[in-house]
């Protein structure tokens, strides 16, 4: 007799520490190179990865800026991550990063990662969560809207080397 029922994958979300940062930077490179072509140029992808995911930058965010990082694992495989931290507005946190390998999209895992961040922000006393998303990143904008985020502003930020970030600022009141 054959048994054909699928086992439910084990999904875990854990805080990331300094020892996790090299793997996080490597995963970011894979995800960005899958997702951002067609949204921003290849040269901007490489430039931004080099700036945002340099180990020293990540260490500074973790240790000095008190930005919290979390890792998403499915059956022990590191497939996504997020980071969030308090900003200057009272009770307002920023979701700095929220990424998932493309082959895991559409399975509710990104939603679980985002909901985990929202829960943690509430636990830390946050009343609002903001994020910046590229205006051409339609898939992410749709996902954030589905989770109750609304466009609050439109900004263009100089990122250096002739590159800009053309983003929507989206926000969600946490109840």
């Amino acid at each position: 007799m054959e048994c054909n029922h699928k086992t439910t994958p084990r999904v875990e979300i854990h805080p990331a520490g300094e020892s996790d940062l090299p793997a996080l930077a490597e995963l970011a490179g894979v995800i960005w190179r899958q997702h951002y072509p067609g949204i921003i140029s290849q040269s901007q992808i490489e430039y931004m990865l080099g700036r945002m995911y340099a180990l020293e930058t990540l260490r500074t965010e973790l240790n000095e800026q008190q930005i919290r990082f979390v890792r998403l694992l499915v059956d022990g495989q590191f497939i996504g991550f997020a980071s969030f931290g308090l900003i200057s507005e009272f009770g307002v946190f920023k979701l700095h990063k929220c990424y998932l390998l493309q082959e895991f999209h559409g399975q509710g895992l990104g939603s679980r990662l985002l909901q985990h961040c929202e829960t943690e922000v509430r636990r830390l006393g946050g009343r609002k969560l903001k994020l910046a998303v590229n205006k051409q990143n339609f898939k992410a904008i749709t996902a954030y809207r589905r989770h109750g985020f609304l466009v609050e502003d439109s900004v263009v930020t100089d990122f250096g080397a002739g590159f800009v970030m053309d983003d929507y600022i989206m926000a969600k009141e946490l109840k």
Side-chain angles (χ1 to χ4, degrees):
M1 186 147 136
E2 216 174 289
C3 186
N4 272 345
H5 50 85
K6 277 178 115 176
T7 59
T8 304
R10 187 179 40 136
V11 178
E12 301 170 278
I13 300 174
H14 297 290
E18 197 162 332
S19 64
D20 298 308
L21 296 179
L24 192 142
E26 185 178 330
L27 184 61
V30 171
I31 292 169
W32 273 59
R33 290 178 185 106
Q34 285 178 339
H35 184 75
Y36 282 106
I39 296 174
I40 57 177
S41 69
Q42 195 63 43
S43 55
Q44 183 167 354
I45 291 168
E46 296 306 322
Y47 177 77
M48 290 180 74
L49 281 171
R51 294 248 336 253
M52 294 171 62
Y53 291 96
L55 289 180
E56 198 49 47
T57 300
L58 294 172
R59 279 189 201 102
T60 298
E61 289 177 354
L62 183 68
N63 298 320
E64 294 171 27
Q65 297 174 10
Q66 304 300 304
I67 293 173
R68 296 165 186 260
F69 288 81
V70 294
R71 301 177 308 128
L72 174 64
L73 295 97
V74 172
D75 291 332
Q77 181 186 354
F78 181 27
I79 64 153
F81 63 93
S83 71
F84 56 91
L86 192 59
I87 59 175
S88 58
E89 294 176 64
F90 179 77
V92 180
F93 281 70
K94 180 175 181 186
L95 182 69
H96 293 279
K97 301 166 178 28
C98 190
Y99 294 106
L100 178 67
L101 282 171
Q102 214 163 22
E103 57 265 33
F104 290 93
H105 286 193
Q107 300 176 34
L109 296 166
S111 292
R112 283 182 70 171
L113 184 59
L114 181 57
Q115 288 164 352
H116 175 85
C117 293
E118 289 179 18
T119 298
E120 286 299 299
V121 166
R122 274 189 211 92
R123 190 180 63 75
L124 295 166
R127 58 175 177 76
K128 188 176 195 178
L129 185 59
K130 288 186 172 189
L131 60 89
V133 60
N134 186 289
K135 291 175 187 168
Q136 301 306 308
N137 194 347
F138 304 119
K139 191 172 181 178
I141 292 166
T142 300
Y144 290 129
R145 280 195 170 123
R146 194 170 50 243
H147 285 278
F149 285 83
L150 301 172
V151 173
E152 194 173 84
D153 202 358
S154 174
V155 297
V156 176
T157 309
D158 185 346
F159 201 76
F163 298 116
V164 297
M165 296 190 309
D166 189 11
D167 294 334
Y168 288 125
I169 304 301
M170 298 183 79
K172 178 179 181 177
E173 297 291 334
L174 301 176
K175 296 175 170 64

